[in-house]
Amino acid sequence: MKSYRKELWFEVPARRGFVNITPQVNDCLKESGIMEGLLLCNSMHITSSVFINDDERGLLLDFEYWLEKLAPHSPVTLYQPHETVMLYQHNATGEDNGDAHLKRTIMGREVVVAVTAGRLDFGPWEQIFYGEFDGRRRKRALVKIIGD
Amino acid sequence: MKSYRKELWFEVPARRGFVNITPQVNDCLKESGIMEGLLLCNSMHITSSVFINDDERGLLLDFEYWLEKLAPHSPVTLYQPHETVMLYQHNATGEDNGDAHLKRTIMGREVVVAVTAGRLDFGPWEQIFYGEFDGRRRKRALVKIIGD
Amino acid sequence: MKSYRKELWFEVPARRGFVNITPQVNDCLKESGIMEGLLLCNSMHITSSVFINDDERGLLLDFEYWLEKLAPHSPVTLYQPHETVMLYQHNATGEDNGDAHLKRTIMGREVVVAVTAGRLDFGPWEQIFYGEFDGRRRKRALVKIIGD
């Protein structure tokens, strides 16, 4: 069994952004020489994601607005049955990225992709994205491939 | 190391639906002859999911209504702090499946299952589903197994 | 190729709770003797999760309140375009854990982690959690490792 490892580094200039990393992941696969196996690609941070979807500009905007609706950046008052609660308690530590942890949870930490005949075994529209929710600093994703 | 690959095809007659594909995935595992390893099952489309949950009719209805609440099919006006935004910008391309990309994101693209002693190493209620959010056409999931 | 399997058992005393299981998963990896490969850790139940995030008390509270907002424990009346629907139809079977199936869907069933040089190949803040959404009974997660 062969194994391969590489870190991909990013610095998204805004707080949030999506980067299509399919070409870099493809380069890793070629470099590995693995023909049959599984490829894992995961964010190494807890405020960013690796996910698979379509590379379509409108869709990426929809993700941005939808995630902001489900887990807004600005603190939120939640009315629970017997109490009023402030999201994000995480930000009481001096952070302002409580929402980024939740957004990343919706989008996912990782993808596992089949490797067949030396290629990413994808359907016609599948593209791998790095999703940043707390950017403006250098962060990274891991590519690990095992197989023959 | 052995590896195995098969595509499972579906044509869900409605826009949305859930198909329990555990029997087909089990057949793949038997056909592979792999006794110890990992099995990946993923949608090859970006508007459908593969996920694991209970095969209980009420639960599947709950998923249907809950997903429609979180990412409704009909375009939605979102009020952001300084602007009004229309979901789904993706539909401006002539598509009507913007919601399907978001629903699939909630439900997930893929599952990875342990293979132990030639069987799917499942808890008592785990079942694998194909979740369709933009059906009425032929679509497919991939099964990839590696191991010995 | 080597393979390793172990079940980790939990009994969370409340309905919901988060357990940092990174030490137990690390012990599994050492016991396996595997140096290069992939590690799968998944809930064997459909009302609990295994996920990776930061071990920060405020964040875990945020998850608790956020999940209760997205999928409240108490049944909810949803107003759909042409009908009124009651979540959770699943609870009509005599269960009261309909919400737990949805919460677990948000948080995810499983994580796949790279194994490099005999260690979990993690970024600085990554920790593995068992997320319980229907506790007060013995339940378990599976650790499966393959590699060399």
Side-chain angles (χ1 to χ4, degrees), chain B residues 36 38 52-53 56 58-59 61-63 65-66 68-69 106-107 111-112 114-116 121-126 147-148, chain C residues 1 3 5 40 43-44 46 70 78 80 83 85 87-90 93 101-102 104-106 109-110 140 142 144 146:
Chain B
E36 294 291 326
L38 292 177
I52 287 175
N53 218 305
E56 197 280 308
L59 176 64
L61 285 171
D62 288 339
F63 276 128
Y65 287 117
W66 182 63
E68 186 61 15
K69 184 184 163 209
I106 295 279
M107 298 306 288
V111 297
V112 178
V115 174
T116 303
D121 198 337
F122 269 160
W125 301 103
E126 290 188 281
D148 281 338
Chain C
M1 197 202 77
S3 73
R5 175 194 195 274
L40 168 70
S43 171
M44 298 184 78
I46 66 269
L70 291 183
L78 298 178
Q80 302 285 334
E83 49 184 340
V85 180
L87 269 182
Y88 300 91
Q89 313 250 339
H90 179 58
T93 64
H101 292 269
L102 307 190
R104 112 70 173 255
T105 299
I106 295 279
R109 166 188 180 261
E110 80 216 8
R140 58 196 158 133
L142 179 66
K144 183 92 184 186
I146 68 168

Tab-separated table of all heavy atoms in Angstrom, chain B residues 36 38 52-53 56 58-59 61-63 65-66 68-69 106-107 111-112 114-116 121-126 147-148, chain C residues 1 3 5 40 43-44 46 70 78 80 83 85 87-90 93 101-102 104-106 109-110 140 142 144 146:
chain	number	residue	atom	x	y	z
B	36	GLU	N	-11.833	-6.977	4.989
B	36	GLU	CA	-11.443	-5.919	5.928
B	36	GLU	C	-11.062	-4.686	5.123
B	36	GLU	O	-10.204	-4.776	4.236
B	36	GLU	CB	-10.219	-6.343	6.760
B	36	GLU	CG	-10.467	-7.498	7.706
B	36	GLU	CD	-11.395	-7.125	8.863
B	36	GLU	OE1	-11.343	-5.966	9.319
B	36	GLU	OE2	-12.169	-7.997	9.291
B	38	LEU	N	-12.390	-0.300	3.960
B	38	LEU	CA	-13.315	0.835	4.035
B	38	LEU	C	-14.143	0.891	2.754
B	38	LEU	O	-13.623	0.646	1.654
B	38	LEU	CB	-12.547	2.158	4.193
B	38	LEU	CG	-11.814	2.374	5.518
B	38	LEU	CD1	-11.047	3.704	5.483
B	38	LEU	CD2	-12.763	2.351	6.717
B	52	ILE	N	-26.715	8.100	6.077
B	52	ILE	CA	-27.106	6.955	6.908
B	52	ILE	C	-28.070	7.435	7.982
B	52	ILE	O	-27.775	8.403	8.705
B	52	ILE	CB	-25.860	6.296	7.531
B	52	ILE	CG1	-25.092	5.533	6.447
B	52	ILE	CG2	-26.246	5.366	8.687
B	52	ILE	CD1	-23.785	4.926	6.885
B	53	ASN	N	-29.232	6.792	8.046
B	53	ASN	CA	-30.151	7.042	9.147
B	53	ASN	C	-31.112	5.858	9.232
B	53	ASN	O	-30.869	4.826	8.596
B	53	ASN	CB	-30.868	8.403	8.990
B	53	ASN	CG	-31.036	9.098	10.355
B	53	ASN	OD1	-31.599	8.520	11.286
B	53	ASN	ND2	-30.522	10.314	10.460
B	56	GLU	N	-37.414	4.710	8.708
B	56	GLU	CA	-38.707	4.838	9.396
B	56	GLU	C	-39.497	5.899	8.654
B	56	GLU	O	-39.008	7.013	8.443
B	56	GLU	CB	-38.457	5.227	10.864
B	56	GLU	CG	-39.656	5.001	11.773
B	56	GLU	CD	-40.683	6.117	11.648
B	56	GLU	OE1	-40.299	7.286	11.763
B	56	GLU	OE2	-41.883	5.795	11.430
B	58	GLY	N	-42.007	7.931	9.179
B	58	GLY	CA	-42.230	9.260	9.774
B	58	GLY	C	-40.969	10.105	9.717
B	58	GLY	O	-41.005	11.298	9.415
B	59	LEU	N	-39.839	9.482	9.975
B	59	LEU	CA	-38.563	10.210	9.943
B	59	LEU	C	-38.275	10.744	8.542
B	59	LEU	O	-37.814	11.884	8.382
B	59	LEU	CB	-37.425	9.289	10.400
B	59	LEU	CG	-36.035	9.903	10.314
B	59	LEU	CD1	-35.889	11.092	11.255
B	59	LEU	CD2	-34.958	8.854	10.616
B	61	LEU	N	-40.429	11.551	6.295
B	61	LEU	CA	-41.310	12.716	6.114
B	61	LEU	C	-40.748	13.939	6.851
B	61	LEU	O	-40.797	15.061	6.344
B	61	LEU	CB	-42.714	12.409	6.638
B	61	LEU	CG	-43.569	11.489	5.764
B	61	LEU	CD1	-44.836	11.084	6.503
B	61	LEU	CD2	-43.925	12.192	4.447
B	62	ASP	N	-40.226	13.703	8.048
B	62	ASP	CA	-39.644	14.820	8.809
B	62	ASP	C	-38.474	15.442	8.059
B	62	ASP	O	-38.338	16.668	8.013
B	62	ASP	CB	-39.180	14.342	10.192
B	62	ASP	CG	-40.343	14.031	11.133
B	62	ASP	OD1	-41.453	14.528	10.895
B	62	ASP	OD2	-40.131	13.269	12.089
B	63	PHE	N	-37.628	14.591	7.466
B	63	PHE	CA	-36.517	15.126	6.655
B	63	PHE	C	-37.067	16.003	5.531
B	63	PHE	O	-36.585	17.105	5.288
B	63	PHE	CB	-35.679	13.989	6.054
B	63	PHE	CG	-34.615	13.447	6.971
B	63	PHE	CD1	-34.517	12.087	7.229
B	63	PHE	CD2	-33.692	14.295	7.579
B	63	PHE	CE1	-33.533	11.580	8.078
B	63	PHE	CE2	-32.702	13.794	8.423
B	63	PHE	CZ	-32.622	12.435	8.669
B	65	TYR	N	-39.898	17.710	5.260
B	65	TYR	CA	-40.448	19.000	5.682
B	65	TYR	C	-39.373	19.901	6.289
B	65	TYR	O	-39.377	21.106	6.076
B	65	TYR	CB	-41.614	18.791	6.660
B	65	TYR	CG	-42.836	18.281	5.939
B	65	TYR	CD1	-43.371	17.031	6.221
B	65	TYR	CD2	-43.442	19.054	4.943
B	65	TYR	CE1	-44.484	16.564	5.536
B	65	TYR	CE2	-44.545	18.593	4.254
B	65	TYR	CZ	-45.068	17.346	4.546
B	65	TYR	OH	-46.160	16.899	3.855
B	66	TRP	N	-38.462	19.303	7.013
B	66	TRP	CA	-37.388	20.070	7.663
B	66	TRP	C	-36.456	20.692	6.625
B	66	TRP	O	-36.078	21.872	6.719
B	66	TRP	CB	-36.622	19.127	8.590
B	66	TRP	CG	-35.516	19.695	9.390
B	66	TRP	CD1	-35.588	20.659	10.358
B	66	TRP	CD2	-34.140	19.275	9.354
B	66	TRP	NE1	-34.345	20.859	10.915
B	66	TRP	CE2	-33.441	20.017	10.320
B	66	TRP	CE3	-33.436	18.324	8.604
B	66	TRP	CZ2	-32.066	19.858	10.545
B	66	TRP	CZ3	-32.079	18.156	8.827
B	66	TRP	CH2	-31.411	18.920	9.788
B	68	GLU	N	-37.205	21.368	3.545
B	68	GLU	CA	-37.960	22.401	2.827
B	68	GLU	C	-38.040	23.674	3.663
B	68	GLU	O	-38.078	24.783	3.112
B	68	GLU	CB	-39.351	21.867	2.478
B	68	GLU	CG	-40.186	22.778	1.621
B	68	GLU	CD	-39.608	23.099	0.240
B	68	GLU	OE1	-38.672	22.402	-0.207
B	68	GLU	OE2	-40.067	24.078	-0.378
B	69	LYS	N	-38.016	23.530	4.994
B	69	LYS	CA	-37.995	24.709	5.858
B	69	LYS	C	-36.612	25.390	5.810
B	69	LYS	O	-36.511	26.611	5.715
B	69	LYS	CB	-38.325	24.291	7.290
B	69	LYS	CG	-38.424	25.439	8.278
B	69	LYS	CD	-38.647	24.877	9.689
B	69	LYS	CE	-38.338	25.915	10.747
B	69	LYS	NZ	-37.888	25.296	12.005
B	106	ILE	N	-26.876	19.858	3.546
B	106	ILE	CA	-27.321	19.446	4.892
B	106	ILE	C	-27.208	17.927	5.055
B	106	ILE	O	-26.733	17.433	6.081
B	106	ILE	CB	-28.794	19.873	5.126
B	106	ILE	CG1	-28.941	21.396	5.135
B	106	ILE	CG2	-29.337	19.245	6.413
B	106	ILE	CD1	-28.570	22.044	6.450
B	107	MET	N	-27.645	17.184	4.068
B	107	MET	CA	-27.715	15.722	4.202
B	107	MET	C	-26.372	15.042	3.935
B	107	MET	O	-26.147	13.918	4.384
B	107	MET	CB	-28.777	15.142	3.256
B	107	MET	CG	-30.184	15.644	3.539
B	107	MET	SD	-30.728	15.401	5.272
B	107	MET	CE	-30.986	13.624	5.317
B	111	VAL	N	-20.925	8.668	2.508
B	111	VAL	CA	-20.676	7.972	3.772
B	111	VAL	C	-19.471	7.054	3.586
B	111	VAL	O	-19.226	6.536	2.495
B	111	VAL	CB	-21.887	7.142	4.242
B	111	VAL	CG1	-23.081	8.042	4.513
B	111	VAL	CG2	-22.266	6.068	3.237
B	112	VAL	N	-18.727	6.889	4.675
B	112	VAL	CA	-17.634	5.915	4.712
B	112	VAL	C	-18.001	4.895	5.785
B	112	VAL	O	-18.348	5.275	6.911
B	112	VAL	CB	-16.291	6.592	5.023
B	112	VAL	CG1	-15.172	5.557	5.105
B	112	VAL	CG2	-15.959	7.635	3.958
B	114	ALA	N	-17.086	1.123	7.707
B	114	ALA	CA	-16.089	0.093	7.983
B	114	ALA	C	-16.570	-1.247	7.426
B	114	ALA	O	-17.754	-1.578	7.516
B	114	ALA	CB	-15.860	-0.021	9.485
B	115	VAL	N	-15.631	-2.003	6.869
B	115	VAL	CA	-15.897	-3.382	6.432
B	115	VAL	C	-15.136	-4.305	7.381
B	115	VAL	O	-13.914	-4.197	7.509
B	115	VAL	CB	-15.420	-3.606	4.987
B	115	VAL	CG1	-15.562	-5.077	4.597
B	115	VAL	CG2	-16.185	-2.701	4.028
B	116	THR	N	-15.874	-5.172	8.073
B	116	THR	CA	-15.279	-6.078	9.053
B	116	THR	C	-15.823	-7.481	8.815
B	116	THR	O	-17.050	-7.657	8.747
B	116	THR	CB	-15.636	-5.621	10.494
B	116	THR	OG1	-15.181	-4.262	10.681
B	116	THR	CG2	-14.980	-6.515	11.538
B	121	ASP	N	-20.036	-2.835	8.786
B	121	ASP	CA	-19.920	-2.853	10.248
B	121	ASP	C	-20.845	-1.786	10.838
B	121	ASP	O	-20.408	-0.693	11.199
B	121	ASP	CB	-18.453	-2.599	10.620
B	121	ASP	CG	-18.145	-3.015	12.040
B	121	ASP	OD1	-19.091	-3.083	12.855
B	121	ASP	OD2	-16.967	-3.271	12.320
B	122	PHE	N	-22.122	-2.138	10.940
B	122	PHE	CA	-23.173	-1.182	11.280
B	122	PHE	C	-23.716	-1.411	12.684
B	122	PHE	O	-23.756	-2.544	13.169
B	122	PHE	CB	-24.347	-1.348	10.314
B	122	PHE	CG	-24.267	-0.489	9.089
B	122	PHE	CD1	-25.012	-0.811	7.959
B	122	PHE	CD2	-23.488	0.654	9.054
B	122	PHE	CE1	-24.977	-0.016	6.822
B	122	PHE	CE2	-23.440	1.459	7.927
B	122	PHE	CZ	-24.185	1.117	6.814
B	123	GLY	N	-24.193	-0.338	13.311
B	123	GLY	CA	-25.054	-0.446	14.478
B	123	GLY	C	-26.414	-0.985	14.052
B	123	GLY	O	-26.706	-1.119	12.853
B	124	PRO	N	-27.290	-1.255	15.031
B	124	PRO	CA	-28.541	-1.981	14.729
B	124	PRO	C	-29.494	-1.267	13.775
B	124	PRO	O	-30.255	-1.935	13.078
B	124	PRO	CB	-29.188	-2.174	16.104
B	124	PRO	CG	-28.470	-1.278	17.053
B	124	PRO	CD	-27.117	-1.022	16.485
B	125	TRP	N	-29.485	0.067	13.727
B	125	TRP	CA	-30.493	0.767	12.922
B	125	TRP	C	-29.908	1.475	11.711
B	125	TRP	O	-30.627	2.174	10.989
B	125	TRP	CB	-31.239	1.802	13.784
B	125	TRP	CG	-31.913	1.179	14.949
B	125	TRP	CD1	-31.491	1.201	16.244
B	125	TRP	CD2	-33.117	0.402	14.933
B	125	TRP	NE1	-32.357	0.493	17.031
B	125	TRP	CE2	-33.372	-0.003	16.255
B	125	TRP	CE3	-34.009	0.009	13.911
B	125	TRP	CZ2	-34.477	-0.782	16.598
B	125	TRP	CZ3	-35.106	-0.752	14.254
B	125	TRP	CH2	-35.334	-1.143	15.580
B	126	GLU	N	-28.628	1.355	11.483
B	126	GLU	CA	-28.019	2.102	10.370
B	126	GLU	C	-28.430	1.536	9.007
B	126	GLU	O	-28.259	0.343	8.759
B	126	GLU	CB	-26.492	2.095	10.503
B	126	GLU	CG	-25.976	2.932	11.671
B	126	GLU	CD	-24.452	3.054	11.642
B	126	GLU	OE1	-23.765	2.096	12.054
B	126	GLU	OE2	-23.969	4.094	11.196
B	147	GLY	N	-9.412	-2.643	0.435
B	147	GLY	CA	-9.058	-3.477	1.585
B	147	GLY	C	-8.494	-4.813	1.136
B	147	GLY	O	-8.039	-4.953	0.005
B	148	ASP	N	-8.579	-5.786	2.024
B	148	ASP	CA	-8.044	-7.127	1.726
B	148	ASP	C	-9.157	-8.160	1.807
B	148	ASP	O	-10.074	-8.017	2.614
B	148	ASP	CB	-6.945	-7.495	2.741
B	148	ASP	CG	-5.602	-6.827	2.399
B	148	ASP	OD1	-5.409	-6.448	1.231
B	148	ASP	OD2	-4.780	-6.675	3.312
C	1	MET	N	-1.628	-4.909	4.111
C	1	MET	CA	-2.472	-3.908	4.768
C	1	MET	C	-2.972	-4.432	6.117
C	1	MET	O	-3.480	-5.525	6.204
C	1	MET	CB	-3.687	-3.606	3.863
C	1	MET	CG	-4.427	-2.337	4.203
C	1	MET	SD	-6.137	-2.361	3.573
C	1	MET	CE	-6.951	-3.437	4.774
C	3	SER	N	-5.496	-3.938	9.524
C	3	SER	CA	-6.746	-3.283	9.913
C	3	SER	C	-6.977	-3.471	11.402
C	3	SER	O	-6.485	-4.424	12.012
C	3	SER	CB	-7.933	-3.789	9.105
C	3	SER	OG	-8.280	-5.075	9.506
C	5	ARG	N	-10.030	-2.574	14.678
C	5	ARG	CA	-11.424	-2.216	14.990
C	5	ARG	C	-11.627	-2.169	16.497
C	5	ARG	O	-11.193	-3.068	17.208
C	5	ARG	CB	-12.345	-3.292	14.429
C	5	ARG	CG	-13.803	-3.086	14.791
C	5	ARG	CD	-14.642	-4.322	14.521
C	5	ARG	NE	-16.065	-3.985	14.533
C	5	ARG	CZ	-16.822	-3.950	15.637
C	5	ARG	NH1	-16.308	-4.229	16.812
C	5	ARG	NH2	-18.106	-3.632	15.564
C	40	LEU	N	-11.286	5.842	10.448
C	40	LEU	CA	-12.712	6.196	10.437
C	40	LEU	C	-13.226	6.121	11.856
C	40	LEU	O	-12.987	5.123	12.553
C	40	LEU	CB	-13.476	5.187	9.571
C	40	LEU	CG	-15.016	5.218	9.679
C	40	LEU	CD1	-15.599	6.477	9.049
C	40	LEU	CD2	-15.610	3.970	9.017
C	43	SER	N	-20.375	7.258	14.740
C	43	SER	CA	-21.422	6.802	15.647
C	43	SER	C	-22.054	5.546	15.059
C	43	SER	O	-22.257	5.453	13.847
C	43	SER	CB	-22.483	7.884	15.820
C	43	SER	OG	-23.581	7.345	16.538
C	44	MET	N	-22.373	4.570	15.927
C	44	MET	CA	-23.088	3.378	15.456
C	44	MET	C	-24.607	3.539	15.661
C	44	MET	O	-25.363	2.610	15.425
C	44	MET	CB	-22.568	2.126	16.170
C	44	MET	CG	-21.081	1.871	15.877
C	44	MET	SD	-20.461	0.335	16.597
C	44	MET	CE	-21.107	-0.887	15.418
C	46	ILE	N	-28.184	6.292	15.185
C	46	ILE	CA	-28.664	7.307	14.243
C	46	ILE	C	-29.189	8.536	14.979
C	46	ILE	O	-29.825	9.406	14.378
C	46	ILE	CB	-29.693	6.718	13.253
C	46	ILE	CG1	-30.939	6.298	13.928
C	46	ILE	CG2	-29.053	5.653	12.388
C	46	ILE	CD1	-31.101	4.900	14.436
C	70	LEU	N	-32.370	24.997	15.274
C	70	LEU	CA	-32.564	24.421	13.936
C	70	LEU	C	-33.490	23.211	13.960
C	70	LEU	O	-34.186	22.938	12.984
C	70	LEU	CB	-31.219	24.014	13.324
C	70	LEU	CG	-30.251	25.130	12.941
C	70	LEU	CD1	-29.000	24.545	12.287
C	70	LEU	CD2	-30.905	26.128	11.985
C	78	LEU	N	-45.194	23.387	11.275
C	78	LEU	CA	-44.604	24.079	10.127
C	78	LEU	C	-45.714	24.503	9.182
C	78	LEU	O	-46.617	23.722	8.892
C	78	LEU	CB	-43.649	23.141	9.375
C	78	LEU	CG	-42.445	22.615	10.139
C	78	LEU	CD1	-41.649	21.677	9.239
C	78	LEU	CD2	-41.569	23.770	10.591
C	80	GLN	N	-46.423	25.112	5.588
C	80	GLN	CA	-45.978	24.933	4.216
C	80	GLN	C	-46.965	25.677	3.317
C	80	GLN	O	-48.051	26.049	3.773
C	80	GLN	CB	-45.966	23.439	3.859
C	80	GLN	CG	-45.078	22.603	4.778
C	80	GLN	CD	-43.592	22.790	4.500
C	80	GLN	OE1	-43.207	23.122	3.388
C	80	GLN	NE2	-42.756	22.590	5.509
C	83	GLU	N	-50.344	23.637	3.287
C	83	GLU	CA	-50.730	22.712	4.361
C	83	GLU	C	-50.021	23.103	5.652
C	83	GLU	O	-49.035	23.825	5.652
C	83	GLU	CB	-50.340	21.270	3.979
C	83	GLU	CG	-48.921	21.167	3.489
C	83	GLU	CD	-48.533	19.759	3.018
C	83	GLU	OE1	-49.191	18.784	3.388
C	83	GLU	OE2	-47.513	19.667	2.299
C	85	VAL	N	-48.095	21.268	8.771
C	85	VAL	CA	-47.473	19.971	9.013
C	85	VAL	C	-46.871	19.972	10.407
C	85	VAL	O	-46.315	20.969	10.848
C	85	VAL	CB	-46.341	19.711	7.992
C	85	VAL	CG1	-45.697	18.356	8.237
C	85	VAL	CG2	-46.869	19.822	6.590
C	87	LEU	N	-43.993	18.633	12.723
C	87	LEU	CA	-42.773	17.909	13.042
C	87	LEU	C	-42.981	17.414	14.476
C	87	LEU	O	-43.395	18.220	15.324
C	87	LEU	CB	-41.557	18.838	13.012
C	87	LEU	CG	-40.755	19.006	11.713
C	87	LEU	CD1	-39.574	19.939	11.974
C	87	LEU	CD2	-40.291	17.747	11.087
C	88	TYR	N	-42.716	16.222	14.864
C	88	TYR	CA	-42.010	15.200	14.168
C	88	TYR	C	-42.952	14.027	13.973
C	88	TYR	O	-43.430	13.466	14.962
C	88	TYR	CB	-40.822	14.784	15.018
C	88	TYR	CG	-39.875	15.939	15.281
C	88	TYR	CD1	-40.007	16.745	16.386
C	88	TYR	CD2	-38.853	16.213	14.365
C	88	TYR	CE1	-39.130	17.802	16.606
C	88	TYR	CE2	-37.973	17.264	14.594
C	88	TYR	CZ	-38.119	18.062	15.712
C	88	TYR	OH	-37.276	19.117	15.921
C	89	GLN	N	-43.194	13.676	12.722
C	89	GLN	CA	-44.020	12.498	12.435
C	89	GLN	C	-43.353	11.243	13.012
C	89	GLN	O	-44.043	10.278	13.347
C	89	GLN	CB	-44.175	12.345	10.924
C	89	GLN	CG	-44.534	13.641	10.203
C	89	GLN	CD	-45.940	13.687	9.649
C	89	GLN	OE1	-46.558	12.657	9.449
C	89	GLN	NE2	-46.436	14.885	9.414
C	90	HIS	N	-42.031	11.271	13.100
C	90	HIS	CA	-41.315	10.137	13.676
C	90	HIS	C	-41.795	9.859	15.094
C	90	HIS	O	-41.842	8.700	15.529
C	90	HIS	CB	-39.811	10.436	13.691
C	90	HIS	CG	-38.970	9.352	14.286
C	90	HIS	ND1	-38.954	8.058	13.808
C	90	HIS	CD2	-38.090	9.367	15.336
C	90	HIS	CE1	-38.098	7.328	14.528
C	90	HIS	NE2	-37.570	8.088	15.453
C	93	THR	N	-44.593	7.327	16.315
C	93	THR	CA	-44.340	5.899	16.581
C	93	THR	C	-44.149	5.641	18.074
C	93	THR	O	-43.877	4.512	18.454
C	93	THR	CB	-43.056	5.425	15.861
C	93	THR	OG1	-41.927	6.151	16.415
C	93	THR	CG2	-43.125	5.667	14.373
C	101	HIS	N	-32.496	12.813	15.476
C	101	HIS	CA	-32.108	12.371	14.125
C	101	HIS	C	-31.688	13.564	13.262
C	101	HIS	O	-30.790	13.445	12.431
C	101	HIS	CB	-33.275	11.645	13.444
C	101	HIS	CG	-33.629	10.339	14.058
C	101	HIS	ND1	-33.078	9.147	13.633
C	101	HIS	CD2	-34.477	10.007	15.059
C	101	HIS	CE1	-33.589	8.151	14.346
C	101	HIS	NE2	-34.443	8.637	15.222
C	102	LEU	N	-32.372	14.695	13.441
C	102	LEU	CA	-32.058	15.885	12.635
C	102	LEU	C	-30.786	16.562	13.158
C	102	LEU	O	-29.928	16.982	12.376
C	102	LEU	CB	-33.235	16.862	12.630
C	102	LEU	CG	-34.607	16.288	12.224
C	102	LEU	CD1	-35.605	17.431	12.042
C	102	LEU	CD2	-34.549	15.433	10.977
C	104	ARG	N	-28.329	15.174	14.659
C	104	ARG	CA	-27.182	14.368	14.269
C	104	ARG	C	-26.844	14.568	12.784
C	104	ARG	O	-25.668	14.521	12.397
C	104	ARG	CB	-27.450	12.905	14.619
C	104	ARG	CG	-27.627	11.920	13.484
C	104	ARG	CD	-26.314	11.635	12.718
C	104	ARG	NE	-26.519	10.567	11.765
C	104	ARG	CZ	-26.077	9.338	11.950
C	104	ARG	NH1	-25.372	9.032	12.990
C	104	ARG	NH2	-26.314	8.407	11.050
C	105	THR	N	-27.857	14.838	11.968
C	105	THR	CA	-27.621	15.075	10.543
C	105	THR	C	-26.786	16.338	10.347
C	105	THR	O	-25.860	16.364	9.519
C	105	THR	CB	-28.970	15.172	9.805
C	105	THR	OG1	-29.653	13.917	9.965
C	105	THR	CG2	-28.777	15.461	8.329
C	106	ILE	N	-27.100	17.395	11.107
C	106	ILE	CA	-26.315	18.633	11.028
C	106	ILE	C	-24.860	18.376	11.443
C	106	ILE	O	-23.920	18.848	10.795
C	106	ILE	CB	-26.923	19.725	11.953
C	106	ILE	CG1	-28.310	20.144	11.481
C	106	ILE	CG2	-25.978	20.930	12.070
C	106	ILE	CD1	-28.328	21.136	10.357
C	109	ARG	N	-22.329	12.030	10.938
C	109	ARG	CA	-22.201	10.683	11.516
C	109	ARG	C	-20.773	10.302	11.823
C	109	ARG	O	-20.519	9.519	12.737
C	109	ARG	CB	-22.766	9.673	10.507
C	109	ARG	CG	-22.423	8.208	10.796
C	109	ARG	CD	-22.839	7.319	9.657
C	109	ARG	NE	-22.525	5.926	9.893
C	109	ARG	CZ	-21.466	5.288	9.399
C	109	ARG	NH1	-20.593	5.929	8.658
C	109	ARG	NH2	-21.265	3.997	9.648
C	110	GLU	N	-19.814	10.812	11.037
C	110	GLU	CA	-18.484	10.212	11.021
C	110	GLU	C	-17.417	11.241	10.717
C	110	GLU	O	-17.700	12.297	10.159
C	110	GLU	CB	-18.424	9.132	9.923
C	110	GLU	CG	-18.227	9.689	8.519
C	110	GLU	CD	-18.959	8.952	7.426
C	110	GLU	OE1	-19.772	8.060	7.713
C	110	GLU	OE2	-18.718	9.301	6.244
C	140	ARG	N	-22.590	3.687	21.462
C	140	ARG	CA	-21.194	3.445	21.088
C	140	ARG	C	-20.801	4.066	19.757
C	140	ARG	O	-21.647	4.330	18.900
C	140	ARG	CB	-20.925	1.943	21.028
C	140	ARG	CG	-21.824	1.248	20.049
C	140	ARG	CD	-21.843	-0.272	20.247
C	140	ARG	NE	-23.057	-0.809	19.672
C	140	ARG	CZ	-23.123	-1.880	18.877
C	140	ARG	NH1	-22.046	-2.589	18.621
C	140	ARG	NH2	-24.270	-2.263	18.358
C	142	LEU	N	-17.648	3.602	16.634
C	142	LEU	CA	-16.729	2.613	16.070
C	142	LEU	C	-15.460	3.317	15.614
C	142	LEU	O	-15.529	4.397	15.014
C	142	LEU	CB	-17.392	1.948	14.862
C	142	LEU	CG	-16.581	0.894	14.115
C	142	LEU	CD1	-16.334	-0.333	14.994
C	142	LEU	CD2	-17.325	0.481	12.835
C	144	LYS	N	-12.305	2.394	13.175
C	144	LYS	CA	-11.738	1.434	12.224
C	144	LYS	C	-10.520	2.102	11.578
C	144	LYS	O	-10.620	3.244	11.097
C	144	LYS	CB	-12.763	1.065	11.152
C	144	LYS	CG	-12.273	0.013	10.167
C	144	LYS	CD	-12.641	-1.391	10.598
C	144	LYS	CE	-12.075	-2.451	9.688
C	144	LYS	NZ	-12.566	-3.813	10.049
C	146	ILE	N	-7.275	1.480	8.777
C	146	ILE	CA	-6.595	0.620	7.813
C	146	ILE	C	-5.317	1.320	7.343
C	146	ILE	O	-5.243	2.552	7.335
C	146	ILE	CB	-7.491	0.235	6.594
C	146	ILE	CG1	-7.781	1.445	5.706
C	146	ILE	CG2	-8.782	-0.427	7.049
C	146	ILE	CD1	-8.389	1.066	4.368
